[in-house]
Amino acid sequence: QRSAPSSRYTTQRQQHPNNNNNMNPLRLLLATALAAASSAFAPTAFVQRVAPAPTQRSALYMVQGQGDSYKKVFVAGGSKGVGRLVVDKLVSNGAEVVALVRSDEAVDELSALDGVTAIKGDAMDYKTVEGAMDGCDAAITTLGGGHNVAEGEKYVDYVGNNNVIEAAGILGVTRVVLVTSIGCGSSKEATPPSVYEVLKDVLVQKEKAEKVLTRYYTNMNWTIVRPGGLVSEPPTGKAVLTEDTMAIGSIHRGDVADLVVKALSSKNTEKKILSAVDPSIESASNPEGKTCEAFILA
């Protein structure tokens, strides 16, 4: 038989300071509170918090209005037309530009501009687009012009724009501005039937790119700009963006570029599809001179 514990052992166990049965309730409460406070403020050795450097700000900062502007912008279609003018606008605003172009001449011309990195490549090749865009925090694509596409060949209006959209999604470039045309999607009814028939094949391809962007990249901060008939004359400064899907008319390429760059930095344009027209220009597609409500960018 086991002997009973000695009275000395029993006394020591009952009088031990860690025995909560005999602790004063007030002392117990104070001890518990002190322990909780100490653990809450105790440093954790394996957690290190480092504030991001300003140059490492993601596009998300810009989307939320926490940044001043986009610092490095990828431009597809920057060798001519609206895209070329977009490059000039971005540079004048102090942005760094990466332009994907197809010819050596375009590379030489754009590389001569301060703040522009020109990369020779074909937007129809996905890997080329992804490699050129890597490191940018926003993307603008003005790709188009597939009017003389041979039967069976692919249109840059869809394939090239789709490559830009997909690369942005893969790389985490959350800000994308896609330039298409009035006549796509909800603006089809605004286009005179005779004009639509001439441009139908191209408009269908551009609309496919729009659908990819709006349906499958819901986490992306995108904007679609649909210009009216393009005119190669000095900008008037009177062109507007509008949500009116029946807006129709002409617009100078320089004004399109100006509106695209402004839309890029406007928080109001997130997930917006906007037509771009100049009500000050007489247009055969708008003989009655119909006006539209201007979209507020600020």
Side-chain angles (χ1 to χ4, degrees):
Q1 292 181 347
R2 291 182 178 179
S3 60
S6 66
S7 59
R8 180 183 177 185
Y9 174 83
T10 304
T11 303
Q12 287 177 338
R13 183 180 64 174
Q14 291 174 346
Q15 295 178 351
H16 194 284
N18 290 334
N19 187 344
N20 291 335
N21 292 332
N22 292 330
M23 182 175 285
N24 184 289
L26 180 59
R27 291 176 60 194
L28 175 60
L29 180 61
L30 292 173
T32 303
L34 180 60
S38 298
S39 60
F41 291 98
T44 305
F46 56 83
V47 175
Q48 184 178 12
R49 295 178 175 86
V50 180
T55 56
Q56 294 177 328
R57 286 182 175 179
S58 70
L60 182 59
Y61 275 82
M62 311 304 178
V63 171
Q64 295 174 336
Q66 297 177 12
D68 298 327
S69 61
Y70 295 94
K71 303 301 182 184
K72 190 173 184 180
V73 183
F74 172 82
V75 178
S79 62
K80 58 183 179 180
V82 172
R84 178 65 179 81
L85 297 171
V86 164
V87 171
D88 289 338
K89 290 283 184 181
L90 289 169
V91 171
S92 66
N93 288 350
E96 183 180 351
V97 176
V98 177
L100 180 64
V101 296
R102 297 188 64 179
S103 68
D104 292 326
E105 293 76 13
V107 169
D108 292 340
E109 178 185 347
L110 291 175
S111 296
L113 300 176
D114 290 338
V116 178
T117 300
I119 298 175
K120 183 181 178 181
D122 190 350
M124 300 289 277
D125 178 68
Y126 171 77
K127 283 297 182 182
T128 298
V129 175
E130 184 183 287
M133 191 187 300
D134 193 12
C136 295
D137 55 20
I140 297 174
T141 175
T142 65
L143 292 171
H147 301 284
N148 299 317
V149 175
E151 185 176 355
E153 290 187 2
K154 296 179 180 179
Y155 286 76
V156 70
D157 304 79
Y158 168 63
V159 177
N161 284 323
N162 182 67
N163 285 342
V164 172
I165 295 166
E166 184 178 349
I170 293 295
L171 295 171
V173 178
T174 60
R175 185 68 173 116
V176 172
V177 178
L178 169 64
V179 181
T180 58
S181 175
I182 288 179
C184 294
S186 58
S187 66
K188 177 180 179 180
E189 297 302 319
T191 311
S194 58
V195 175
Y196 184 83
E197 282 304 313
V198 173
L199 302 176
K200 180 179 178 180
D201 291 341
V202 172
L203 293 174
V204 168
Q205 299 298 318
K206 291 181 183 294
E207 184 175 334
K208 285 172 62 178
E210 288 187 356
K211 288 180 178 178
V212 169
L213 182 58
T214 58
R215 292 181 180 180
Y216 302 113
Y217 291 85
T218 56
N219 291 330
M220 188 179 288
N221 176 7
W222 52 260
T223 301
I224 295 174
V225 177
R226 295 169 172 168
L230 296 174
V231 181
S232 295
E233 293 181 16
T236 68
K238 298 179 181 180
V240 298
L241 294 173
T242 180
E243 292 185 275
D244 185 350
T245 58
M246 291 303 294
I248 189 67
S250 299
I251 184 170
H252 295 174
R253 286 179 169 83
D255 285 314
V256 176
D258 183 56
L259 292 174
V260 166
V261 173
K262 287 179 178 177
L264 174 71
S265 300
S266 170
K267 293 182 289 183
N268 291 349
T269 62
E270 180 178 354
K271 291 183 170 60
K272 295 289 186 180
I273 301 176
L274 304 165
S275 295
V277 295
D278 190 338
S280 70
I281 301 177
E282 292 185 4
S283 173
S285 59
N286 184 20
E288 299 176 2
K290 294 180 180 178
T291 59
C292 57
E293 183 179 353
F295 181 84
I296 305 301
L297 285 168

